[in-house]
């Protein structure tokens, strides 16, 4: 690739996008396309508010003179959201943004997808060559975006890079990890002491580092990458690491998995427990070999950072 000077990020006010902007602004000129201005903006980031995000026009000044677009913004896992709504936010918006980027001479388009494109669970680690098998509405919308982006790349010559992370964790992580963090911090009894599964996770710092690598690495062009900490854990091991990180923690009750699942079903928490008890492993050898990349933060260090004092900058 030629020299990269200016980068546009979507989703820059979110959990992943904010940390990415903080890192990239040290090296590049960063434009953040947002629906609403952040309460605590990242210094030196140029925030551009676009209220009607779906109708981004190819001649919009925010997309001009951009070298690389990193598209993180998405409608995430939410109950009660239809496939049509996911498609509008995650598929159609991605297509519209990519076409506008290509028309304006953007060199590379990095798309944050989901490991859900491979599936919701795995008996053996997911591999980059596996057939895609999305089953949930969110993952289907991401997969359809991937297919469309590859077609745009073939049509226009703009390079596309796709990254499929599993659960991303870090300070103030949303979703199930955030709920588990609060549970550990409150020192309650936790019935997760007998889960012998294996799950791949990725620390926020490691995901951000991989995205940063993909901005300019010549071998990243038109590739799809799986990512993780390269250290799989059982849910029980994860909670133990969280306890160690705060120097105290809940008592882990060794409740048998079948009983845990039965109780969760009665309480309407089946999907949550299925994720906590199921296997989902990721093979990242292709990512490491193609890019010469490896996770910079160990899972132990990543968990410790979840409990560090907040840095508001």
């Amino acid at each position: 690739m030629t020299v990269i000077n200016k980068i546009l990020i979507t989703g820059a006010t979110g959990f992943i996008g904010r940390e990415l902007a903080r890192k990239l602004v040290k090296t590049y000129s960063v434009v953040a396309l947002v629906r609403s201005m952040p309460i605590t903006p990242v210094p030196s980031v140029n925030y551009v508010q676009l209220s009607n995000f779906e109708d981004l026009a190819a001649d919009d000044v925010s997309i001009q003179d951009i070298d690389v677009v990193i598209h993180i913004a998405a409608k995430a896992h939410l109950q009660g959201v239809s496939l049509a709504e996911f498609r509008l936010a995650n598929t159609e918006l991605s297509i519209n943004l990519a076409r506008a980027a290509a028309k304006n001479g953007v060199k590379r388009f990095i798309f944050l997808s989901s490991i859900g494109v491979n599936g919701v669970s795995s008996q053996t680690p997911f591999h980059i060559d596996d057939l895609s098998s999305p089953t949930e509405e969110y993952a289907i919308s991401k997969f359809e975006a991937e297919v469309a982006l590859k077609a745009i790349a073939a049509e226009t010559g703009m390079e596309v890079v796709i990254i499929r992370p599993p659960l991303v964790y870090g300070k103030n992580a949303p979703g199930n990890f955030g709920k588990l963090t609060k549970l550990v911090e409150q020192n309650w009894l936790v019935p997760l002491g007998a889960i012998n599964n294996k799950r791949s996770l990725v620390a926020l710092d490691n995901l951000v580092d991989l995205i940063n690598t993909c901005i300019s690495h010549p071998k990243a062009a038109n590739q799809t990458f799986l990512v993780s900490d390269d250290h799989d854990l059982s849910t029980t091991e994860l909670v133990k690491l969280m306890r160690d990180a705060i120097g105290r923690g809940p008592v882990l009750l060794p409740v048998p998995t079948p009983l845990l699942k039965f109780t969760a079903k009665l309480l309407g928490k089946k999907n949550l427990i299925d994720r906590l008890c199921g296997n989902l492993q990721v093979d990242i050898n292709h990512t490491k070999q193609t890019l010469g990349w490896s996770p910079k933060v160990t899972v132990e260090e990543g968990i410790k950072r979840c409990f560090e004092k907040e840095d508001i900058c």
Side-chain angles (χ1 to χ4, degrees), residues 50-91:
L50 188 68
S51 58
N52 201 6
F53 206 24
E54 290 79 1
D55 294 329
L56 177 68
D59 60 356
D60 193 289
V61 294
S62 59
I63 202 73
Q64 294 175 5
D65 300 319
I66 299 294
D67 297 308
V68 175
V69 169
I70 304 174
H71 184 38
I72 298 173
K75 186 182 288 292
H77 302 277
L78 296 169
Q79 290 186 348
V81 177
S82 67
L83 178 56
E85 292 174 291
F86 276 122
R87 280 175 168 153
L88 178 62
N90 299 342
T91 309

Side-chain angles (χ1 to χ4, degrees), residues 11-284:
T13 58
F15 170 61
I16 297 170
R18 179 177 173 81
E19 187 61 29
L20 180 65
R22 289 175 59 179
K23 183 177 183 66
L24 297 188
V25 78
K26 299 174 183 178
T27 307
Y28 305 102
S29 173
V30 176
V31 176
L33 201 59
V34 298
R35 295 180 187 275
S36 58
M37 300 301 287
I39 297 174
T40 54
V42 175
S44 300
V45 171
N46 178 22
Y47 291 91
V48 177
Q49 189 171 3
L50 188 68
S51 58
N52 201 6
F53 206 24
E54 290 79 1
D55 294 329
L56 177 68
D59 60 356
D60 193 289
V61 294
S62 59
I63 202 73
Q64 294 175 5
D65 300 319
I66 299 294
D67 297 308
V68 175
V69 169
I70 304 174
H71 184 38
I72 298 173
K75 186 182 288 292
H77 302 277
L78 296 169
Q79 290 186 348
V81 177
S82 67
L83 178 56
E85 292 174 291
F86 276 122
R87 280 175 168 153
L88 178 62
N90 299 342
T91 309
E92 297 304 323
L93 175 57
S94 301
I95 294 171
N96 192 39
L97 179 62
R99 290 201 177 280
K103 287 180 180 178
N104 280 277
V106 169
K107 302 174 182 69
R108 182 169 288 182
F109 190 99
I110 300 175
F111 178 63
L112 196 67
S113 187
S114 167
I115 196 61
V117 170
N118 289 78
V120 295
S121 63
S122 61
Q123 296 305 311
T124 58
F126 286 131
H127 188 272
I128 193 62
D129 293 328
D130 292 342
L131 291 176
S132 299
S133 184
T135 57
E136 299 179 325
E137 286 84 355
Y138 169 77
I140 291 170
S141 69
K142 285 288 191 177
F143 171 65
E144 291 175 349
E146 287 188 13
V147 173
L149 292 175
K150 290 176 183 178
I152 292 172
E155 173 189 335
T156 66
M158 180 179 67
E159 297 171 353
V160 167
V161 182
I162 295 167
I163 299 174
R164 296 178 187 167
L167 185 147
V168 184
Y169 67 93
K171 181 76 175 178
N172 296 323
N176 291 335
F177 188 86
K179 294 174 184 176
L180 185 59
T181 299
K182 289 183 174 65
L183 191 63
V184 171
E185 288 179 321
Q186 291 167 355
N187 206 26
W188 289 1
L189 297 176
V190 177
L192 303 176
I195 301 177
N196 296 312
N197 61 340
K198 286 294 180 183
R199 295 192 72 87
S200 297
L201 311 175
V202 62
L204 176 60
D205 291 317
N206 286 332
L207 177 59
V208 165
D209 186 67
L210 177 63
I211 295 172
N212 186 36
T213 299
C214 288
I215 288 173
S216 59
H217 199 297
K219 292 185 178 180
N222 301 315
Q223 291 280 340
T224 298
F225 297 113
L226 308 186
V227 60
S228 77
D229 289 338
D230 209 18
H231 182 159
D232 299 340
L233 298 169
S234 70
T235 299
T236 299
E237 290 170 330
L238 173 61
V239 175
K240 288 179 178 177
L241 284 178
M242 295 170 80
R243 291 198 316 171
D244 291 342
I246 60 176
R248 58 176 175 78
V251 175
L252 277 168
L253 301 179
V255 178
T257 298
L259 177 58
L260 196 60
K261 289 186 174 182
F262 176 76
T263 305
K265 185 175 181 179
L266 294 178
L267 297 175
K269 301 293 184 179
K270 180 179 182 299
N271 289 340
L272 173 61
I273 293 300
D274 283 346
R275 282 181 165 78
L276 289 173
C277 296
N279 294 315
L280 195 161
Q281 293 177 272
V282 176
D283 181 338
I284 67 168

